[in-house]
Coordinates of all heavy atoms in Angstrom, one line a residue:
M1 N 0.8 -1.2 0.0 CA 0.0 0.1 0.0 C 0.9 1.2 0.1 O 0.6 2.1 -0.7 CB -0.9 0.0 1.2 CG -1.8 1.1 1.3 SD -3.0 1.1 -0.1 CE -4.5 0.5 0.8
I2 N 2.0 1.2 0.7 CA 2.8 2.4 0.8 C 3.5 2.6 -0.5 O 3.7 3.7 -1.0 CB 3.8 2.2 2.0 CG1 3.2 2.3 3.3 CG2 4.9 3.3 2.0 CD1 4.0 2.0 4.6
L3 N 3.9 1.5 -1.1 CA 4.5 1.6 -2.5 C 3.6 2.2 -3.5 O 4.0 3.1 -4.3 CB 5.0 0.2 -3.1 CG 6.2 -0.4 -2.4 CD1 6.4 -1.8 -2.8 CD2 7.5 0.5 -2.6
F4 N 2.3 1.9 -3.4 CA 1.4 2.5 -4.4 C 1.3 4.1 -4.0 O 1.2 4.9 -4.9 CB -0.1 2.0 -4.1 CG -1.1 2.7 -4.9 CD1 -1.2 2.6 -6.2 CD2 -2.0 3.5 -4.1 CE1 -2.3 3.3 -6.9 CE2 -3.0 4.3 -4.8 CZ -3.1 4.1 -6.1
W5 N 1.3 4.5 -2.8 CA 1.3 5.9 -2.4 C 2.5 6.6 -2.8 O 2.4 7.8 -3.4 CB 1.2 5.9 -0.8 CG 1.0 7.2 -0.2 CD1 0.3 8.2 -0.6 CD2 1.4 7.5 1.1 NE1 0.5 9.3 0.3 CE2 1.1 8.8 1.4 CE3 2.2 6.8 2.1 CZ2 1.4 9.5 2.5 CZ3 2.5 7.5 3.3 CH2 2.0 8.8 3.5
I6 N 3.7 6.0 -2.8 CA 4.9 6.5 -3.3 C 4.8 6.8 -4.8 O 5.1 7.9 -5.3 CB 6.2 5.8 -2.9 CG1 6.3 5.9 -1.4 CG2 7.3 6.2 -3.5 CD1 7.3 4.8 -0.8
F7 N 4.4 5.7 -5.6 CA 4.3 5.9 -7.1 C 3.3 6.9 -7.5 O 3.4 7.7 -8.4 CB 4.1 4.5 -7.6 CG 5.4 3.6 -7.6 CD1 5.2 2.4 -7.1 CD2 6.5 4.0 -8.1 CE1 6.3 1.6 -7.0 CE2 7.6 3.1 -8.0 CZ 7.4 1.9 -7.6
K8 N 2.1 6.9 -6.7 CA 1.1 7.8 -7.1 C 1.6 9.3 -6.8 O 1.3 10.1 -7.6 CB -0.2 7.5 -6.2 CG -1.4 8.5 -6.4 CD -2.1 8.2 -7.7 CE -3.4 9.0 -7.6 NZ -3.4 10.1 -8.6
G9 N 2.2 9.5 -5.6 CA 2.8 10.7 -5.3 C 3.8 11.2 -6.3 O 3.7 12.5 -6.7
L10 N 4.7 10.3 -6.7 CA 5.6 10.7 -7.8 C 5.0 11.2 -9.1 O 5.4 12.1 -9.7 CB 6.7 9.6 -8.0 CG 7.8 9.4 -7.0 CD1 8.5 8.2 -7.4 CD2 8.7 10.6 -7.0
F11 N 4.1 10.5 -9.5 CA 3.3 10.6 -10.8 C 2.4 12.0 -10.6 O 2.6 12.8 -11.5 CB 2.3 9.6 -11.1 CG 1.6 9.8 -12.2 CD1 2.1 9.5 -13.4 CD2 0.1 10.1 -12.3 CE1 1.4 9.7 -14.7 CE2 -0.5 10.3 -13.4 CZ 0.1 10.0 -14.6
D12 N 1.9 12.2 -9.6 CA 1.2 13.5 -9.3 C 2.1 14.6 -9.3 O 1.8 15.8 -9.9 CB 0.3 13.4 -8.1 CG -0.9 12.5 -8.1 OD1 -1.2 12.1 -9.4 OD2 -1.5 12.2 -7.2
A13 N 3.4 14.4 -8.6 CA 4.4 15.5 -8.6 C 4.7 15.9 -9.9 O 4.9 17.1 -10.3 CB 5.5 15.1 -7.7
V14 N 5.0 14.9 -10.8 CA 5.5 15.2 -12.1 C 4.4 15.9 -13.0 O 4.7 16.9 -13.8 CB 5.8 13.9 -13.0 CG1 6.2 14.2 -14.4 CG2 7.1 13.3 -12.4
E15 N 3.1 15.5 -12.8 CA 2.1 16.2 -13.4 C 1.9 17.6 -13.0 O 1.7 18.6 -13.8 CB 0.7 15.5 -13.3 CG 0.4 14.4 -14.2 CD -1.0 14.0 -14.1 OE1 -1.9 14.7 -13.8 OE2 -1.2 12.7 -14.3
D16 N 2.0 17.8 -11.6 CA 1.9 19.2 -11.1 C 3.1 20.0 -11.7 O 2.8 21.3 -11.8 CB 1.9 19.1 -9.7 CG 0.6 18.7 -9.0 OD1 -0.4 18.6 -9.7 OD2 0.6 18.1 -7.9
R17 N 4.2 19.5 -11.8 CA 5.3 20.2 -12.3 C 4.9 20.7 -13.8 O 5.3 21.9 -14.1 CB 6.6 19.5 -12.3 CG 7.8 20.2 -12.9 CD 9.0 19.9 -12.1 NE 10.1 20.9 -12.3 CZ 11.0 20.8 -13.4 NH1 11.0 19.9 -14.2 NH2 11.8 21.9 -13.4
R18 N 4.5 19.8 -14.6 CA 4.1 20.3 -15.9 C 3.1 21.3 -16.0 O 3.0 22.2 -16.8 CB 3.6 19.0 -16.7 CG 4.6 18.0 -17.1 CD 3.9 17.0 -17.9 NE 4.9 15.9 -18.0 CZ 4.5 14.6 -18.1 NH1 3.3 14.2 -18.1 NH2 5.5 13.7 -18.2
K19 N 2.1 21.3 -14.9 CA 1.1 22.3 -14.9 C 1.5 23.5 -14.1 O 0.6 24.4 -13.9 CB -0.2 21.7 -14.3 CG -0.7 20.6 -15.1 CD -2.0 20.0 -14.4 CE -2.6 18.9 -15.4 NZ -3.7 18.3 -14.6
D20 N 2.8 23.7 -13.7 CA 3.3 24.8 -12.9 C 2.4 25.0 -11.5 O 2.1 26.1 -11.2 CB 3.2 26.1 -13.7 CG 4.3 26.1 -14.7 OD1 5.3 25.3 -14.6 OD2 4.1 26.7 -15.8
N21 N 2.1 23.9 -10.9 CA 1.4 23.9 -9.6 C 2.4 23.6 -8.6 O 2.4 22.4 -8.1 CB 0.1 23.0 -9.6 CG -0.7 23.2 -8.5 OD1 -0.5 24.0 -7.7 ND2 -1.9 22.4 -8.5
K22 N 3.2 24.5 -8.2 CA 4.4 24.3 -7.2 C 3.9 23.8 -5.8 O 4.5 23.0 -5.3 CB 5.3 25.5 -7.2 CG 5.9 25.7 -8.6 CD 6.9 26.7 -8.5 CE 7.4 27.1 -9.9 NZ 8.5 26.4 -10.3
K23 N 2.8 24.3 -5.3 CA 2.5 24.0 -3.9 C 2.0 22.5 -3.9 O 2.4 21.8 -2.9 CB 1.3 25.0 -3.5 CG 1.7 26.4 -3.2 CD 0.5 27.1 -2.6 CE 1.0 28.6 -2.4 NZ -0.2 29.3 -1.9
S24 N 1.2 22.2 -4.8 CA 0.8 20.7 -4.9 C 1.9 19.9 -5.1 O 1.9 18.7 -4.6 CB -0.3 20.6 -5.9 OG -0.8 19.3 -5.9
M25 N 2.9 20.3 -6.0 CA 4.0 19.5 -6.2 C 4.9 19.2 -5.0 O 5.3 18.1 -4.7 CB 5.0 20.1 -7.3 CG 6.2 19.3 -7.8 SD 7.3 20.2 -8.8 CE 7.9 21.3 -7.7
I26 N 5.0 20.2 -4.2 CA 5.9 20.2 -2.9 C 5.2 19.2 -2.0 O 5.8 18.4 -1.3 CB 6.1 21.6 -2.4 CG1 7.1 22.2 -3.3 CG2 6.6 21.5 -1.0 CD1 7.3 23.8 -3.1
A27 N 3.9 19.3 -1.9 CA 3.0 18.5 -1.0 C 3.2 17.0 -1.3 O 3.3 16.1 -0.6 CB 1.6 18.8 -1.0
N28 N 3.2 16.7 -2.7 CA 3.3 15.4 -3.2 C 4.6 14.7 -2.9 O 4.8 13.7 -2.5 CB 3.0 15.2 -4.6 CG 1.5 15.3 -4.8 OD1 0.7 14.7 -4.2 ND2 1.2 15.9 -6.0
I29 N 5.8 15.7 -3.0 CA 7.1 15.2 -2.8 C 7.2 14.9 -1.2 O 8.0 14.0 -0.9 CB 8.1 16.3 -3.3 CG1 8.1 16.4 -4.8 CG2 9.5 16.1 -2.6 CD1 8.9 17.4 -5.4
V30 N 6.6 15.8 -0.3 CA 6.6 15.5 1.1 C 6.0 14.2 1.5 O 6.5 13.4 2.2 CB 6.1 16.8 1.9 CG1 5.8 16.2 3.2 CG2 6.8 17.9 1.7
F31 N 4.9 13.9 0.8 CA 4.3 12.6 0.9 C 5.1 11.4 0.4 O 5.3 10.4 1.1 CB 2.9 12.4 0.2 CG 1.8 13.3 0.9 CD1 1.1 14.1 0.1 CD2 1.6 13.3 2.4 CE1 0.0 14.9 0.9 CE2 0.6 14.0 3.0 CZ -0.2 14.8 2.2
V32 N 5.8 11.5 -0.6 CA 6.7 10.5 -1.1 C 7.8 10.3 -0.2 O 8.2 9.2 0.2 CB 7.3 11.0 -2.6 CG1 8.4 10.0 -2.9 CG2 6.1 10.8 -3.7
I33 N 8.4 11.5 0.3 CA 9.5 11.3 1.4 C 9.1 10.7 2.5 O 9.8 9.8 3.2 CB 10.1 12.8 1.6 CG1 10.9 13.2 0.4 CG2 11.1 12.7 2.8 CD1 11.3 14.7 0.4
A34 N 8.0 10.9 3.0 CA 7.4 10.3 4.3 C 7.1 8.7 4.0 O 7.4 7.9 4.8 CB 6.1 10.9 4.6
G35 N 6.6 8.4 2.7 CA 6.4 7.0 2.5 C 7.8 6.4 2.4 O 7.8 5.2 2.9
L36 N 8.7 6.9 1.8 CA 10.1 6.3 1.8 C 10.8 6.2 3.2 O 11.4 5.1 3.5 CB 10.9 7.1 0.9 CG 10.8 7.1 -0.6 CD1 11.7 7.9 -1.4 CD2 11.0 5.6 -1.2
G37 N 10.5 7.1 4.0 CA 11.0 7.1 5.4 C 10.4 5.9 6.1 O 11.1 5.2 6.9
I38 N 9.0 5.7 6.0 CA 8.3 4.6 6.6 C 8.8 3.3 6.1 O 9.1 2.3 7.0 CB 6.8 4.8 6.4 CG1 6.3 5.9 7.2 CG2 6.1 3.5 6.9 CD1 4.8 6.2 6.8
L39 N 9.1 3.1 4.8 CA 9.6 2.0 4.3 C 11.1 1.6 4.8 O 11.4 0.4 5.2 CB 9.6 2.0 2.8 CG 8.3 1.8 2.1 CD1 8.5 1.8 0.5 CD2 7.8 0.3 2.4
V40 N 11.9 2.6 4.8 CA 13.2 2.4 5.4 C 13.2 2.1 6.8 O 13.8 1.1 7.3 CB 14.1 3.8 5.1 CG1 15.4 3.6 5.9 CG2 14.3 3.9 3.6
W41 N 12.4 2.8 7.5 CA 12.2 2.5 9.0 C 11.8 1.1 9.4 O 12.4 0.3 10.2 CB 11.3 3.6 9.7 CG 11.0 3.3 11.0 CD1 11.7 3.1 12.1 CD2 9.6 3.2 11.6 NE1 11.0 3.0 13.3 CE2 9.8 3.0 12.9 CE3 8.3 3.2 11.0 CZ2 8.7 2.8 13.8 CZ3 7.3 3.1 11.9 CH2 7.5 2.8 13.2
Q42 N 10.8 0.7 8.6 CA 10.2 -0.7 8.8 C 11.2 -1.7 8.3 O 11.3 -2.8 9.0 CB 9.0 -0.8 8.1 CG 7.7 0.0 8.7 CD 7.4 -0.7 10.1 OE1 7.4 -1.8 10.4 NE2 7.3 0.3 11.0
G43 N 11.9 -1.4 7.2 CA 13.0 -2.5 6.8 C 14.2 -2.6 7.8 O 14.6 -3.6 8.1
I44 N 14.5 -1.4 8.3 CA 15.6 -1.5 9.4 C 15.1 -2.3 10.6 O 15.9 -3.1 11.1 CB 16.0 -0.1 9.8 CG1 16.8 0.5 8.7 CG2 16.9 -0.2 11.1 CD1 17.2 2.0 8.9
Q45 N 13.9 -2.1 11.0 CA 13.3 -2.8 12.1 C 13.2 -4.3 11.9 O 13.4 -5.2 12.6 CB 12.0 -2.3 12.6 CG 12.0 -1.1 13.4 CD 10.7 -0.7 14.0 OE1 9.6 -1.1 13.6 NE2 10.7 0.1 15.0
F46 N 12.8 -4.7 10.6 CA 12.7 -6.0 10.2 C 14.0 -6.7 10.3 O 14.0 -7.9 10.8 CB 12.0 -6.1 8.8 CG 11.9 -7.5 8.3 CD1 10.9 -8.4 8.7 CD2 12.8 -8.0 7.4 CE1 10.7 -9.6 8.3 CE2 12.7 -9.3 7.0 CZ 11.7 -10.2 7.4
F47 N 15.0 -6.1 9.7 CA 16.3 -6.8 9.8 C 17.0 -6.8 11.1 O 17.7 -7.7 11.3 CB 17.2 -6.2 8.7 CG 16.8 -6.7 7.2 CD1 16.4 -5.7 6.4 CD2 16.8 -7.9 6.9 CE1 15.9 -6.0 5.1 CE2 16.4 -8.3 5.6 CZ 15.9 -7.3 4.8
L48 N 16.8 -5.8 11.9 CA 17.6 -5.7 13.3 C 16.9 -6.7 14.2 O 17.6 -7.3 15.1 CB 17.5 -4.3 13.7 CG 18.5 -3.3 13.1 CD1 18.3 -1.9 13.7 CD2 19.9 -3.8 13.2
Y49 N 15.5 -6.9 14.2 CA 14.9 -7.6 15.2 C 14.4 -8.9 14.7 O 13.5 -9.6 15.4 CB 13.7 -6.8 15.8 CG 14.1 -5.4 16.4 CD1 13.7 -4.3 16.0 CD2 14.8 -5.6 17.5 CE1 14.1 -3.1 16.5 CE2 15.2 -4.3 18.0 CZ 14.8 -3.2 17.6 OH 15.4 -2.0 18.2
K50 N 15.0 -9.5 13.6 CA 14.6 -10.7 13.0 C 15.2 -11.9 13.9 O 16.3 -12.0 14.3 CB 14.9 -10.8 11.6 CG 14.4 -12.1 10.9 CD 14.7 -12.1 9.5 CE 14.2 -13.3 8.9 NZ 14.4 -13.4 7.4

């Protein structure tokens, strides 16, 4: 589910850049960074506590 959120956010950010909608593009990039952070955090927990 988080991977879908990341890909959708990236796709929307690229579309917003084409349409010159910078506020929405920045919001989508923040969501993508948050999703990547969650994936990295969960991956580290999985490998450390396995």
